[in-house]
Structure formats: C-alpha cells, structure tokens
Amino acid sequence: MGGVIVVNVLPRLLGTYGDVGNELALLHRLRARGIPAEGVHVEPGESVPDSGDIYLLGGGEDRAQVLASRMIGAGLARAVSRNAVVLAVCAGYQILGTSFTDSGGAAHSGLGLLDVETRPLPQRAVGEMVVEPAVPVGTLVGFENHRGGTTLGADAQPLGWVTKGVGNGVSSSEGAQQGRVFGTYLHGPALALNPDFADHLLSLVVGDLPPMDDGYEVRARAHRLSSPV
Ligand code: GLN
C-alpha cells in the first residue's frame, strides 16, 4: 500500500453521473507507469482524511448534494492547506464554493475552497460540452447536466471557455481553478475522456510523467468531438 493516495469524497452521494471513473482513471494512469497508488472512499459517517494527495468529488442531485455539503467537515480544507490537489465535478464543484442555491430556491453554505457562488439558471443545462482550457492541456470534452450556474469571484480563474454547451452559464466560462483546487461541470468521466487533464493533475503531485498508450481515450474523444448532438 501507500504511494499516491486518491481520496474519493462521498461517492455514494456524489456518484450519480459516473464520476467515480475519475478515480479509476487516475489510479490506472499511475499504476501503468509503475507508480504505486491507492484509492480511498469516504463513506457517510466517516471523516475526510487530511493526508491524501488528490481529492475527488462528483456530481449528484440537489438533496444528496446538500447532505454531502454538511458531512464533509474540516478534513478537506486541511488537505487543501497542505497543498493537496482537488477535482470537484458539478455538485461537488458547487459545494466547494462559498454558497449554492438549489433549484427550489434554498441557499446553502459551501466549503469556501473556491471563490465561486452558484444560483439556479433559468433552465437546466444538459448535453455535450467542449471547452478550450485555460490550463495547459488539450480541448476538454464531456457532458453536462445541471441547473446551477456559477459566478466566479476575484480569487478564482476559469478552467476554460465553452465552445459548445453552457458550462458556468453566467458567461462563456467553464469551471474554476484556484491554486490546486479545480471545479468543472464536465462529466464523462472527465479524466477518462481527457487524459492530459488527468496527467496535469497527477503531475502536480508526482512531477513530469512519461507518455502512455492513450489509443482508447483518443478514439473516445474523436467520437465526442465529431458527434453532431
Ligand atoms: N444539483 C446540481 C445542479 O443541478 C448538480 C447537478 C450535478 O451534479 N450534475 O446544478
């Protein structure tokens, strides 16, 4: 055991959209290169350990999202202050912000790890998304399915800019980054469809990585990019 520790935060609540695949993608990309790696799931009732290297939060419906936001506690913030990397998707992204308002109009406190705020959009954003990233990786692809729209404050930068889809919804920006904390509306799972984004996150922990065979991922991306949907 040991090596790089990937902590999946409450996947039972924040796992509706298959984002647990982000953990599988990270573990695969480490182990295929001979780097030991371990995945840890935080279940309801357990506290979030602060000793992980990479933390993942996935998407979920409003009720699960509110429950998860109340359960996460201080462990994740301690990990961020120790320079851990975080990737949070959709509901997870909204939870990391300062506050989020659900589709019923109730406002909830977020964890304040990203300077962003979420309120309902006039209508749900559903469909394929293509994003030109602000981080040094290729075009990001995936799908979105959310009602919330997210406004960035001064401390957060966009993860990229949508060329297809809605993303943050209040401008053409998509997602956010602040230090080593990343938020996105991309499901896919995002790190399976965007292997260089996965490697970008991993390289923040382990340094430069050798290339690996991404034939499957390249074909999956080409299909997404050519799809007329
Ligand atoms: N419940 C949130 C919203 O509708 C997040 C949805 C999701 O995680 N896909 O905006």
Side-chain angles (χ1 to χ4, degrees), residues 17 58-62 65 89-92 94 103 118 124 145-149 185 187:
Y17 298 83
E61 294 313 320
D62 285 4
Q65 175 176 343
V89 180
C90 206
Q94 297 175 4
S103 45
T118 298
R124 200 166 178 90
N145 187 341
H146 56 105
R147 177 73 195 277
Y185 279 109
H187 300 289

PDB file of all heavy atoms in Angstrom, residues 17 58-62 65 89-92 94 103 118 124 145-149 185 187, ligand 1:
ATOM      1  N   TYR A  17     -23.416  10.476 -11.602  1.00  0.00           N
ATOM      2  CA  TYR A  17     -23.103  10.656 -13.026  1.00  0.00           C
ATOM      3  C   TYR A  17     -21.853   9.891 -13.456  1.00  0.00           C
ATOM      4  O   TYR A  17     -21.237  10.217 -14.453  1.00  0.00           O
ATOM      5  CB  TYR A  17     -22.949  12.151 -13.325  1.00  0.00           C
ATOM      6  CG  TYR A  17     -24.218  12.928 -13.068  1.00  0.00           C
ATOM      7  CD1 TYR A  17     -24.542  13.355 -11.780  1.00  0.00           C
ATOM      8  CD2 TYR A  17     -25.111  13.205 -14.103  1.00  0.00           C
ATOM      9  CE1 TYR A  17     -25.718  14.041 -11.541  1.00  0.00           C
ATOM     10  CE2 TYR A  17     -26.276  13.896 -13.865  1.00  0.00           C
ATOM     11  CZ  TYR A  17     -26.583  14.321 -12.588  1.00  0.00           C
ATOM     12  OH  TYR A  17     -27.738  14.997 -12.354  1.00  0.00           O
ATOM     13  N   GLY A  58     -17.778  14.184  -6.886  1.00  0.00           N
ATOM     14  CA  GLY A  58     -18.531  14.014  -8.119  1.00  0.00           C
ATOM     15  C   GLY A  58     -19.847  14.778  -8.108  1.00  0.00           C
ATOM     16  O   GLY A  58     -20.107  15.611  -7.239  1.00  0.00           O
ATOM     17  N   GLY A  59     -20.692  14.449  -9.086  1.00  0.00           N
ATOM     18  CA  GLY A  59     -21.974  15.115  -9.224  1.00  0.00           C
ATOM     19  C   GLY A  59     -23.068  14.404  -8.445  1.00  0.00           C
ATOM     20  O   GLY A  59     -22.921  13.256  -8.029  1.00  0.00           O
ATOM     21  N   GLY A  60     -24.172  15.094  -8.228  1.00  0.00           N
ATOM     22  CA  GLY A  60     -25.289  14.498  -7.512  1.00  0.00           C
ATOM     23  C   GLY A  60     -26.503  15.391  -7.591  1.00  0.00           C
ATOM     24  O   GLY A  60     -26.402  16.567  -7.961  1.00  0.00           O
ATOM     25  N   GLU A  61     -27.644  14.829  -7.272  1.00  0.00           N
ATOM     26  CA  GLU A  61     -28.872  15.623  -7.273  1.00  0.00           C
ATOM     27  C   GLU A  61     -28.903  16.524  -6.034  1.00  0.00           C
ATOM     28  O   GLU A  61     -28.162  16.331  -5.075  1.00  0.00           O
ATOM     29  CB  GLU A  61     -30.083  14.700  -7.352  1.00  0.00           C
ATOM     30  CG  GLU A  61     -30.167  13.943  -8.670  1.00  0.00           C
ATOM     31  CD  GLU A  61     -29.962  14.844  -9.894  1.00  0.00           C
ATOM     32  OE1 GLU A  61     -30.468  15.988  -9.900  1.00  0.00           O
ATOM     33  OE2 GLU A  61     -29.280  14.426 -10.827  1.00  0.00           O
ATOM     34  N   ASP A  62     -29.824  17.512  -6.048  1.00  0.00           N
ATOM     35  CA  ASP A  62     -29.802  18.565  -5.029  1.00  0.00           C
ATOM     36  C   ASP A  62     -29.795  18.020  -3.603  1.00  0.00           C
ATOM     37  O   ASP A  62     -29.034  18.489  -2.752  1.00  0.00           O
ATOM     38  CB  ASP A  62     -31.014  19.491  -5.202  1.00  0.00           C
ATOM     39  CG  ASP A  62     -30.860  20.442  -6.386  1.00  0.00           C
ATOM     40  OD1 ASP A  62     -29.860  20.330  -7.120  1.00  0.00           O
ATOM     41  OD2 ASP A  62     -31.753  21.292  -6.564  1.00  0.00           O
ATOM     42  N   GLN A  65     -26.633  16.447  -2.650  1.00  0.00           N
ATOM     43  CA  GLN A  65     -25.611  17.495  -2.619  1.00  0.00           C
ATOM     44  C   GLN A  65     -25.638  18.248  -1.281  1.00  0.00           C
ATOM     45  O   GLN A  65     -24.590  18.513  -0.688  1.00  0.00           O
ATOM     46  CB  GLN A  65     -25.874  18.461  -3.785  1.00  0.00           C
ATOM     47  CG  GLN A  65     -24.968  19.668  -3.815  1.00  0.00           C
ATOM     48  CD  GLN A  65     -25.202  20.524  -5.041  1.00  0.00           C
ATOM     49  OE1 GLN A  65     -25.799  20.084  -6.027  1.00  0.00           O
ATOM     50  NE2 GLN A  65     -24.726  21.751  -5.007  1.00  0.00           N
ATOM     51  N   VAL A  89     -16.557  17.908  -9.393  1.00  0.00           N
ATOM     52  CA  VAL A  89     -17.398  17.956 -10.583  1.00  0.00           C
ATOM     53  C   VAL A  89     -18.829  18.325 -10.197  1.00  0.00           C
ATOM     54  O   VAL A  89     -19.411  17.727  -9.280  1.00  0.00           O
ATOM     55  CB  VAL A  89     -17.398  16.587 -11.296  1.00  0.00           C
ATOM     56  CG1 VAL A  89     -18.271  16.629 -12.546  1.00  0.00           C
ATOM     57  CG2 VAL A  89     -15.977  16.166 -11.649  1.00  0.00           C
ATOM     58  N   CYS A  90     -19.382  19.309 -10.862  1.00  0.00           N
ATOM     59  CA  CYS A  90     -20.801  19.658 -10.805  1.00  0.00           C
ATOM     60  C   CYS A  90     -21.292  19.878  -9.363  1.00  0.00           C
ATOM     61  O   CYS A  90     -20.922  20.878  -8.759  1.00  0.00           O
ATOM     62  CB  CYS A  90     -21.602  18.615 -11.570  1.00  0.00           C
ATOM     63  SG  CYS A  90     -23.142  19.256 -12.218  1.00  0.00           S
ATOM     64  N   ALA A  91     -22.070  18.968  -8.767  1.00  0.00           N
ATOM     65  CA  ALA A  91     -22.498  19.183  -7.380  1.00  0.00           C
ATOM     66  C   ALA A  91     -21.281  19.396  -6.478  1.00  0.00           C
ATOM     67  O   ALA A  91     -21.280  20.268  -5.600  1.00  0.00           O
ATOM     68  CB  ALA A  91     -23.321  18.003  -6.887  1.00  0.00           C
ATOM     69  N   GLY A  92     -20.230  18.612  -6.704  1.00  0.00           N
ATOM     70  CA  GLY A  92     -19.002  18.759  -5.910  1.00  0.00           C
ATOM     71  C   GLY A  92     -18.384  20.133  -6.096  1.00  0.00           C
ATOM     72  O   GLY A  92     -17.929  20.770  -5.129  1.00  0.00           O
ATOM     73  N   GLN A  94     -19.982  22.875  -6.960  1.00  0.00           N
ATOM     74  CA  GLN A  94     -20.842  23.866  -6.290  1.00  0.00           C
ATOM     75  C   GLN A  94     -20.611  23.863  -4.776  1.00  0.00           C
ATOM     76  O   GLN A  94     -20.595  24.913  -4.134  1.00  0.00           O
ATOM     77  CB  GLN A  94     -22.303  23.582  -6.616  1.00  0.00           C
ATOM     78  CG  GLN A  94     -22.615  23.723  -8.114  1.00  0.00           C
ATOM     79  CD  GLN A  94     -24.036  23.321  -8.471  1.00  0.00           C
ATOM     80  OE1 GLN A  94     -24.840  23.000  -7.599  1.00  0.00           O
ATOM     81  NE2 GLN A  94     -24.354  23.339  -9.761  1.00  0.00           N
ATOM     82  N   SER A 103     -32.279  24.200  -6.724  1.00  0.00           N
ATOM     83  CA  SER A 103     -33.280  24.567  -7.739  1.00  0.00           C
ATOM     84  C   SER A 103     -34.609  24.942  -7.104  1.00  0.00           C
ATOM     85  O   SER A 103     -35.446  25.586  -7.742  1.00  0.00           O
ATOM     86  CB  SER A 103     -33.438  23.461  -8.784  1.00  0.00           C
ATOM     87  OG  SER A 103     -33.516  22.212  -8.163  1.00  0.00           O
ATOM     88  N   THR A 118     -23.078  29.766  -6.598  1.00  0.00           N
ATOM     89  CA  THR A 118     -23.975  29.121  -7.572  1.00  0.00           C
ATOM     90  C   THR A 118     -25.429  29.459  -7.296  1.00  0.00           C
ATOM     91  O   THR A 118     -25.877  29.396  -6.147  1.00  0.00           O
ATOM     92  CB  THR A 118     -23.774  27.590  -7.527  1.00  0.00           C
ATOM     93  OG1 THR A 118     -22.428  27.299  -7.904  1.00  0.00           O
ATOM     94  CG2 THR A 118     -24.723  26.869  -8.477  1.00  0.00           C
ATOM     95  N   ARG A 124     -32.380  24.010 -17.054  1.00  0.00           N
ATOM     96  CA  ARG A 124     -31.325  23.028 -16.843  1.00  0.00           C
ATOM     97  C   ARG A 124     -30.409  22.962 -18.070  1.00  0.00           C
ATOM     98  O   ARG A 124     -30.889  23.029 -19.208  1.00  0.00           O
ATOM     99  CB  ARG A 124     -31.979  21.664 -16.582  1.00  0.00           C
ATOM    100  CG  ARG A 124     -31.095  20.688 -15.896  1.00  0.00           C
ATOM    101  CD  ARG A 124     -31.859  19.491 -15.364  1.00  0.00           C
ATOM    102  NE  ARG A 124     -30.914  18.570 -14.764  1.00  0.00           N
ATOM    103  CZ  ARG A 124     -30.545  18.599 -13.493  1.00  0.00           C
ATOM    104  NH1 ARG A 124     -31.106  19.460 -12.660  1.00  0.00           N
ATOM    105  NH2 ARG A 124     -29.639  17.757 -13.035  1.00  0.00           N
ATOM    106  N   ASN A 145     -24.981  18.274 -17.022  1.00  0.00           N
ATOM    107  CA  ASN A 145     -26.382  18.051 -16.638  1.00  0.00           C
ATOM    108  C   ASN A 145     -26.592  18.735 -15.292  1.00  0.00           C
ATOM    109  O   ASN A 145     -26.371  18.141 -14.241  1.00  0.00           O
ATOM    110  CB  ASN A 145     -26.664  16.555 -16.540  1.00  0.00           C
ATOM    111  CG  ASN A 145     -28.134  16.270 -16.319  1.00  0.00           C
ATOM    112  OD1 ASN A 145     -28.895  17.164 -15.891  1.00  0.00           O
ATOM    113  ND2 ASN A 145     -28.557  15.050 -16.576  1.00  0.00           N
ATOM    114  N   HIS A 146     -26.950  20.016 -15.326  1.00  0.00           N
ATOM    115  CA  HIS A 146     -27.062  20.783 -14.075  1.00  0.00           C
ATOM    116  C   HIS A 146     -28.036  21.930 -14.220  1.00  0.00           C
ATOM    117  O   HIS A 146     -28.272  22.423 -15.317  1.00  0.00           O
ATOM    118  CB  HIS A 146     -25.691  21.328 -13.654  1.00  0.00           C
ATOM    119  CG  HIS A 146     -25.013  22.179 -14.712  1.00  0.00           C
ATOM    120  ND1 HIS A 146     -24.939  23.540 -14.634  1.00  0.00           N
ATOM    121  CD2 HIS A 146     -24.379  21.840 -15.869  1.00  0.00           C
ATOM    122  CE1 HIS A 146     -24.286  24.013 -15.697  1.00  0.00           C
ATOM    123  NE2 HIS A 146     -23.943  23.001 -16.463  1.00  0.00           N
ATOM    124  N   ARG A 147     -28.580  22.353 -13.096  1.00  0.00           N
ATOM    125  CA  ARG A 147     -29.469  23.525 -13.079  1.00  0.00           C
ATOM    126  C   ARG A 147     -28.706  24.751 -12.583  1.00  0.00           C
ATOM    127  O   ARG A 147     -29.019  25.878 -12.926  1.00  0.00           O
ATOM    128  CB  ARG A 147     -30.661  23.226 -12.149  1.00  0.00           C
ATOM    129  CG  ARG A 147     -31.636  24.359 -11.979  1.00  0.00           C
ATOM    130  CD  ARG A 147     -32.493  24.558 -13.244  1.00  0.00           C
ATOM    131  NE  ARG A 147     -33.182  25.828 -13.231  1.00  0.00           N
ATOM    132  CZ  ARG A 147     -34.327  26.060 -12.619  1.00  0.00           C
ATOM    133  NH1 ARG A 147     -34.955  25.086 -11.992  1.00  0.00           N
ATOM    134  NH2 ARG A 147     -34.876  27.251 -12.660  1.00  0.00           N
ATOM    135  N   GLY A 148     -27.712  24.518 -11.747  1.00  0.00           N
ATOM    136  CA  GLY A 148     -26.986  25.649 -11.160  1.00  0.00           C
ATOM    137  C   GLY A 148     -26.081  26.339 -12.173  1.00  0.00           C
ATOM    138  O   GLY A 148     -25.498  25.695 -13.044  1.00  0.00           O
ATOM    139  N   GLY A 149     -25.958  27.650 -12.044  1.00  0.00           N
ATOM    140  CA  GLY A 149     -24.991  28.433 -12.815  1.00  0.00           C
ATOM    141  C   GLY A 149     -24.036  29.095 -11.832  1.00  0.00           C
ATOM    142  O   GLY A 149     -24.436  29.466 -10.725  1.00  0.00           O
ATOM    143  N   TYR A 185     -17.957  21.473 -14.669  1.00  0.00           N
ATOM    144  CA  TYR A 185     -19.248  20.832 -14.934  1.00  0.00           C
ATOM    145  C   TYR A 185     -19.096  19.613 -15.842  1.00  0.00           C
ATOM    146  O   TYR A 185     -20.086  18.999 -16.223  1.00  0.00           O
ATOM    147  CB  TYR A 185     -20.225  21.847 -15.540  1.00  0.00           C
ATOM    148  CG  TYR A 185     -20.865  22.718 -14.480  1.00  0.00           C
ATOM    149  CD1 TYR A 185     -20.541  24.061 -14.336  1.00  0.00           C
ATOM    150  CD2 TYR A 185     -21.773  22.153 -13.580  1.00  0.00           C
ATOM    151  CE1 TYR A 185     -21.111  24.832 -13.342  1.00  0.00           C
ATOM    152  CE2 TYR A 185     -22.350  22.915 -12.580  1.00  0.00           C
ATOM    153  CZ  TYR A 185     -22.005  24.248 -12.467  1.00  0.00           C
ATOM    154  OH  TYR A 185     -22.565  25.000 -11.463  1.00  0.00           O
ATOM    155  N   HIS A 187     -18.801  16.012 -16.925  1.00  0.00           N
ATOM    156  CA  HIS A 187     -18.873  14.586 -16.609  1.00  0.00           C
ATOM    157  C   HIS A 187     -18.324  13.831 -17.827  1.00  0.00           C
ATOM    158  O   HIS A 187     -18.181  14.388 -18.902  1.00  0.00           O
ATOM    159  CB  HIS A 187     -20.326  14.146 -16.401  1.00  0.00           C
ATOM    160  CG  HIS A 187     -21.038  14.852 -15.306  1.00  0.00           C
ATOM    161  ND1 HIS A 187     -20.758  14.658 -13.975  1.00  0.00           N
ATOM    162  CD2 HIS A 187     -22.040  15.761 -15.336  1.00  0.00           C
ATOM    163  CE1 HIS A 187     -21.567  15.395 -13.239  1.00  0.00           C
ATOM    164  NE2 HIS A 187     -22.361  16.088 -14.037  1.00  0.00           N
TER     165      HIS A 187
HETATM  166  N1  GLN B   1     -27.678  19.517  -8.248  1.00  0.00           N
HETATM  167  C1  GLN B   1     -26.796  20.328  -9.007  1.00  0.00           C
HETATM  168  C2  GLN B   1     -27.466  21.107 -10.129  1.00  0.00           C
HETATM  169  O1  GLN B   1     -28.496  20.708 -10.619  1.00  0.00           O
HETATM  170  C3  GLN B   1     -25.658  19.493  -9.543  1.00  0.00           C
HETATM  171  C4  GLN B   1     -26.076  18.500 -10.611  1.00  0.00           C
HETATM  172  C5  GLN B   1     -24.953  17.569 -10.982  1.00  0.00           C
HETATM  173  O2  GLN B   1     -24.087  17.268 -10.169  1.00  0.00           O
HETATM  174  N2  GLN B   1     -24.970  17.042 -12.181  1.00  0.00           N
HETATM  175  O3  GLN B   1     -26.977  22.105 -10.521  1.00  0.00           O
END
